[in-house]
Amino acid sequence: TPPTSSSTLQVVFTGSGAPPTPLAECQGDCDDDTQCAGDLVCFQRSGMEAVPGCPGAAPSGVDFCAVRATANTAWLKGDNGSPAENFPLGLCEGDCDSDSNCQAGLVCQQRTGDEPIPGCIGVAATGEDYCRPLETSPTTPPGPQPTYAPNTFGATFVPGDLSQPCDGGKVMLSRGMDCRLLTTAGQYVQYDNGGQSTVPMHGRADGAAVIAHPSDGGWYYTSNSENGSGNGGVGTLRFNAQGEVIGYQMDLEGTTRNCGGGKTYWDTWVTCEEDGSRGFCWEVDPVTGHTAKTNAVIVGGNYESFAYDNQDPDPDVEARFFTTEDSGNGPLTRYTPANAAFNTGDKYDILTSDGGTHDYLVLNADGTFDWSTSASAGASSASTYFPNAEGIDVINRQLFFVSKVNKELFELDLAAKTWVVTSTVSGAFDQQPDQIQKVVGDSDFLYFCEDGGSSSDIHGRNKDGQFFTIVRGDGYGSETSGLAFSPDNKFMYFAFQGNSNIY
């Protein structure tokens, strides 16, 4: 683990040549990797690009030492052929101008905005171009199929038996499922009761949730847009009690890279921005149209997903809220609102009132964990155990979250203060786990979206630890996202992010 002396950007060296001592994490100005301590890597900036894992602002063009979590994390190594020693660029490195700027076997992915980079993870700088692998055809089925659940007599849903084609074979479903395409980015949403939306479907559909309508039996599917540069937000599909699409609207606009999120126990959606020092979490109520910036996190970051625990036996704790961060040293934050926030009579005050506290998850090597008021301690634990945390959910005081870089699922017993970790790699589930959704019942399944490759699908794990591919996207080459279920669990929703195809 590289040394960490600061969790925010600091310019500690401005001279020529090498600094007197190697620079620590989030320190600059560096010229190359040799000037960084340990395994830190020099992040080359030509402007005001955000530095992965390092909140705060810094002068334009200053370069900083930072944690590059994996070899395929998007990373700026230079611009216009400088520094010459970094060219040709390696996997997921930028900024390239043509294929000749990339090492053998890589091509330059030209981008004008926040387009995804096949084969690369992390947050790429808007408009910068990166070297990526040559793509394989997205119509080529993924590798070996996982074992599927035995078909018992009378079973209507057989997880892993991918025998049901949908949408012309673009999507293969487990036996017993059917599907239809609901949306495409930039197109007007067609309603089942006639007509269409007044605004087009948002781009780069990401994290989502289903919110029940309070009286008519219908529901809302509230979906993030991971568009950058203030073009993100939250759009909502409205369904009636029969599951028919009857409306679409944008509920939150002007935010950036709305990635993951989670529901509150009073049935609103919290959407989190993955936007470096400018990223925060916002509450959205599709029923009333209410939106507000929350206190779930207090400093900007690359925030991902949100969950709550309202079963703490401590009489002084009404509820606590958890947020993950997609950064190599992004801590898992726990927010406890002040008691007064629960007593105003207005549910929207819970996440916005002053006086709450924040602490951070610290995993111990002996299988126990603590909550520390030190953000740097939380960052160190994240760097060691769970870099680039993504999806999170809490059921019956069991907290589940994933580290996409390590492809691992963590399970915390909030009562016993113990933790265990298991790999998510199984059969076709060989890319990075992303958003997760727990469905409790006879099957007791934990569902995963998948990120990081051209064969990203929807997978599930049962209570015995067996993994199954639930949905396979043979016709797609982008990550899956937006996994959610209708209130009666009869409808499952998910998206292929590249063109916001929601099924």
Side-chain angles (χ1 to χ4, degrees):
T1 302
T4 300
S5 67
S6 173
S7 60
T8 59
L9 294 173
Q10 289 183 325
V11 180
V12 299
F13 178 72
T14 58
S16 60
T21 59
L23 299 173
E25 185 177 358
C26 303
Q27 290 183 347
D29 180 21
C30 56
D31 294 322
D32 56 55
D33 297 348
T34 63
Q35 297 179 4
C36 299
D39 295 327
L40 297 174
V41 180
C42 186
F43 186 81
Q44 304 278 345
R45 302 162 72 240
S46 58
M48 297 296 292
E49 296 89 351
V51 181
C54 300
S60 176
V62 174
D63 308 322
F64 291 88
C65 297
V67 175
R68 189 178 185 191
T70 67
N72 67 328
T73 297
W75 203 263
L76 291 176
K77 294 285 287 186
D79 187 31
N80 293 322
S82 178
E85 58 268 24
N86 287 348
F87 285 78
L89 298 168
L91 177 65
C92 301
E93 294 178 350
D95 178 44
C96 56
D97 296 315
S98 65
D99 294 350
S100 63
N101 290 154
C102 301
Q103 295 177 8
L106 303 176
V107 295
C108 184
Q109 172 81 29
Q110 301 285 341
R111 303 162 70 244
T112 58
D114 293 314
E115 298 90 341
I117 308 167
C120 302
I121 64 171
V123 180
T126 300
E128 301 285 11
D129 309 321
Y130 293 80
C131 297
R132 63 161 173 82
L134 287 167
E135 287 189 87
T136 57
S137 171
T139 59
T140 303
Q145 294 300 307
T147 303
Y148 58 81
N151 187 10
T152 56
F153 179 77
T156 57
F157 171 47
V158 186
D161 181 2
L162 298 172
S163 57
Q164 180 64 43
C166 177
D167 196 12
K170 289 183 178 180
V171 179
M172 293 299 296
L173 308 172
S174 292
R175 190 190 310 175
M177 301 177 73
D178 196 4
C179 82
R180 64 174 179 138
L181 178 63
L182 300 177
T183 68
T184 298
Q187 297 184 11
Y188 293 93
V189 178
Q190 302 302 306
Y191 298 160
D192 289 316
N193 57 356
Q196 64 181 17
S197 60
T198 59
V199 294
M201 174 64 188
H202 59 269
R204 302 198 70 196
D206 210 319
V210 166
I211 306 294
H213 188 277
S215 60
D216 69 8
W219 56 88
Y220 302 83
Y221 175 80
T222 300
S223 165
N224 285 348
S225 168
E226 205 186 7
N227 284 337
S229 304
N231 296 312
V234 174
T236 297
L237 291 167
R238 174 78 161 96
F239 294 86
N240 63 18
Q242 288 72 49
E244 299 171 325
V245 180
I246 59 173
Y248 171 77
Q249 65 189 33
M250 287 298 295
D251 286 321
L252 178 68
E253 296 181 277
T255 51
T256 297
R257 292 184 182 273
N258 295 75
C259 193
K263 288 173 63 174
T264 65
Y265 60 87
W266 54 93
D267 239 12
T268 59
W269 170 243
V270 173
T271 174
C272 295
E273 296 176 285
E274 191 176 5
D275 191 28
S277 61
R278 298 173 295 276
F280 291 93
C281 296
W282 302 74
E283 184 175 12
V284 177
D285 189 340
V287 180
T288 66
H290 167 84
T291 63
K293 182 180 176 182
T294 75
N295 292 327
V297 294
I298 53 174
V299 297
N302 292 321
Y303 295 113
E304 273 287 337
S305 298
F306 171 93
Y308 67 85
D309 171 34
N310 63 344
Q311 297 180 335
D312 196 307
D314 186 341
D316 294 325
V317 176
E318 182 79 18
R320 287 189 166 109
F321 304 89
F322 307 90
T323 307
T324 58
E325 185 173 358
D326 185 3
S327 171
N329 63 346
L332 194 157
T333 302
R334 182 180 72 168
Y335 173 55
T336 307
N339 287 337
F342 298 94
N343 300 323
T344 66
D346 185 347
K347 62 186 180 182
Y348 300 137
D349 288 340
I350 296 175
L351 290 175
T352 59
S353 296
D354 295 333
T357 61
H358 297 81
D359 43 23
Y360 307 91
L361 177 65
V362 175
L363 299 182
N364 303 317
D366 63 359
T368 63
F369 67 85
D370 299 298
W371 297 101
S372 171
T373 58
S374 168
S376 61
S380 177
S381 186
S383 178
T384 302
Y385 291 102
F386 52 92
N388 298 86
E390 292 251 359
I392 188 170
D393 203 0
V394 179
I395 295 290
N396 296 327
R397 308 226 68 214
Q398 302 296 304
L399 186 152
F400 301 86
F401 73 97
V402 294
S403 165
K404 72 178 185 182
V405 169
N406 293 341
K407 301 180 182 179
E408 291 176 331
L409 170 69
F410 289 81
E411 182 174 353
L412 276 59
D413 186 323
L414 296 177
K417 296 190 68 175
T418 58
W419 64 277
V420 295
V421 59
T422 54
S423 172
T424 62
V425 177
S426 177
F429 191 6
D430 57 359
Q431 301 298 326
Q432 295 176 337
D434 199 332
Q435 299 148 18
I436 61 175
Q437 185 73 241
K438 184 78 181 282
V439 176
V440 178
D442 292 338
S443 60
D444 207 22
F445 253 70
L446 186 67
Y447 289 85
F448 301 80
C449 293
E450 191 173 18
D451 183 11
S454 60
S455 58
S456 295
D457 309 306
I458 301 291
H459 304 276
R461 190 198 76 168
N462 66 14
K463 59 187 176 182
D464 296 322
Q466 297 171 302
F467 284 88
F468 310 102
T469 298
I470 309 300
V471 176
R472 192 180 72 213
D474 288 357
Y476 289 95
S478 67
E479 68 177 87
T480 52
S481 61
L483 182 63
F485 295 83
S486 62
D488 59 6
N489 287 333
K490 291 182 178 179
F491 295 92
M492 180 175 76
Y493 301 97
F494 65 91
F496 290 98
Q497 189 187 63
N499 51 3
S500 287
N501 281 166
I502 295 177
Y503 288 86

